Amino acid sequence: MSTIQTTSSTPDDTRPRGPLAEVFFSLLRSRTFLVGFAIVLFWVACALFGERFAPYDPLADDIINALAPPSSEHWFGTDQIGRDVFSRVIVGSRDILTVAPLATLLATVAGTALGLVTGYFRGLVDDVVSRILEAFMAIPVVIVALLAIVALGTSKTTVIVVIGLSFAPIIARTVRSAVLAERELDYVAAAQLRHESALHTMFVEILPNVIPPILVETTVRLGYAIFAVATLSFMGFGIQPPSPDWGLSISNNYGMIGGGFWWTVLFDALAIASLVIGVNLAADGVHGALND
């Protein structure tokens, strides 16, 4: 009498996963990342659809109701010319979530290219470029931004370019360190033996293997970019009126605090803080997932 042998299929949770899948599932298990991602997603939704559910026009003034405290009619009160603070906070996320990510993207692209070049060629190229980058890094970002904006004029494009190029040397230093380690591995020597061009070796062979530190550095720089944009707006060199930008709103109303009108500033400040905290939590989650 023959026996029937059954073979059980491999359960889904024991199937081998690729590196990207492992990172993805690690992120889903990270409470830090999920909380940070939820905060950032909330503000992104406000930036995209805020005008649809803001109870008032964020630019419409109402002098009769100026400096009204928080109430059922105006949840966050009104500012010195009667504009609804809640509506301005919701819609005000748009400018900062446009400028800061674009500046971070520019910094990542420029910094990655510089890091690949200095790490791969080393020698004279590395020495010259690294010294130039160190000179830029020695000057505070806000000072560089102020000088450039005064020279070029105030606009969103100028702010994006200035902040992006200011952060590029920091990302370049991180990428350079990763490239120096990768350059000594066998796959790079094999590419050189095949007489591959330097561009091919840097961007096709090495770049995919240094993506993890680039992702971590990018998420960290995004938080700094948000602060930089808000700071420049507060100083009057960033996003200009009549935008409900958070930094600009704080600049226009911080003098009201002494009169007891705290709500004109508090909620914009909390919005900036919450967005930066969300980005930093997400960055910590990404860093942990890539290092598991």
Side-chain angles (χ1 to χ4, degrees):
M1 183 176 178
S2 62
T3 59
I4 300 176
Q5 297 181 348
T6 60
T7 59
S8 60
S9 59
T10 304
D12 290 341
D13 57 354
T14 60
R15 291 176 184 172
R17 297 171 179 166
L20 291 178
E22 289 291 346
V23 171
F24 177 74
F25 284 106
S26 180
L27 289 175
L28 291 181
R29 294 191 298 268
S30 172
R31 293 183 179 179
T32 300
F33 173 80
L34 293 177
V35 171
F37 181 76
I39 294 173
V40 174
L41 186 62
F42 168 78
W43 286 119
V44 170
C46 290
L48 294 175
F49 310 110
E51 290 180 347
R52 296 186 180 183
F53 56 83
Y56 298 92
D57 182 348
L59 302 180
D61 57 71
D62 182 6
I63 300 299
I64 297 177
N65 291 314
L67 297 174
S71 63
S72 59
E73 183 177 2
H74 297 282
W75 292 356
F76 291 177
T78 62
D79 64 9
Q80 56 186 321
I81 58 174
R83 295 174 298 192
D84 182 65
V85 175
F86 177 75
S87 300
R88 290 179 64 79
V89 169
I90 294 298
V91 179
S93 60
R94 180 173 302 165
D95 285 327
I96 202 166
L97 282 174
T98 300
V99 175
L102 288 176
T104 305
L105 177 61
L106 174 60
T108 301
V109 172
T112 299
L114 289 171
L116 285 168
V117 170
T118 55
Y120 180 78
F121 288 107
R122 298 186 295 187
L124 180 62
V125 173
D126 185 19
D127 290 339
V128 173
V129 176
S130 294
R131 298 298 83 76
I132 295 174
L133 295 180
E134 288 173 1
F136 274 101
M137 291 169 59
I139 307 174
V141 173
V142 174
I143 301 299
V144 175
L146 289 177
L147 293 174
I149 290 173
V150 169
L152 301 176
T154 302
S155 69
K156 290 182 182 180
T157 302
T158 302
V159 174
I160 291 170
V161 172
V162 168
I163 295 178
L165 295 183
S166 297
F167 286 159
I170 303 174
I171 297 177
R173 182 176 58 181
T174 300
V175 175
R176 173 184 174 276
S177 299
V179 172
L180 286 174
E182 293 291 327
R183 194 184 187 282
E184 305 303 323
L185 299 182
D186 292 339
Y187 74 91
V188 176
Q192 293 171 340
L193 289 174
R194 296 195 307 268
H195 300 290
E196 300 286 0
S197 67
L199 287 176
H200 176 90
T201 304
M202 287 188 292
F203 289 95
V204 178
E205 302 289 343
I206 297 178
L207 179 58
N209 294 290
V210 297
I211 290 296
I214 293 175
L215 287 177
V216 173
E217 190 65 37
T218 298
T219 52
V220 171
R221 287 308 122 199
L222 177 58
Y224 283 101
I226 291 170
F227 263 132
V229 173
T231 300
L232 290 175
S233 296
F234 176 80
M235 299 176 68
F237 291 95
I239 299 168
Q240 297 297 302
S243 169
D245 173 73
W246 297 332
L248 183 60
S249 294
I250 293 174
S251 176
N252 291 336
N253 294 287
Y254 78 95
M256 299 290 103
I257 297 178
F261 305 109
W262 49 268
W263 58 87
T264 59
V265 172
L266 175 63
F267 297 108
D268 291 288
L270 290 177
I272 295 172
S274 67
L275 179 57
V276 173
I277 290 172
V279 170
N280 288 340
L281 289 174
D284 289 342
V286 171
H287 183 268
L290 293 174
N291 287 278
D292 281 346

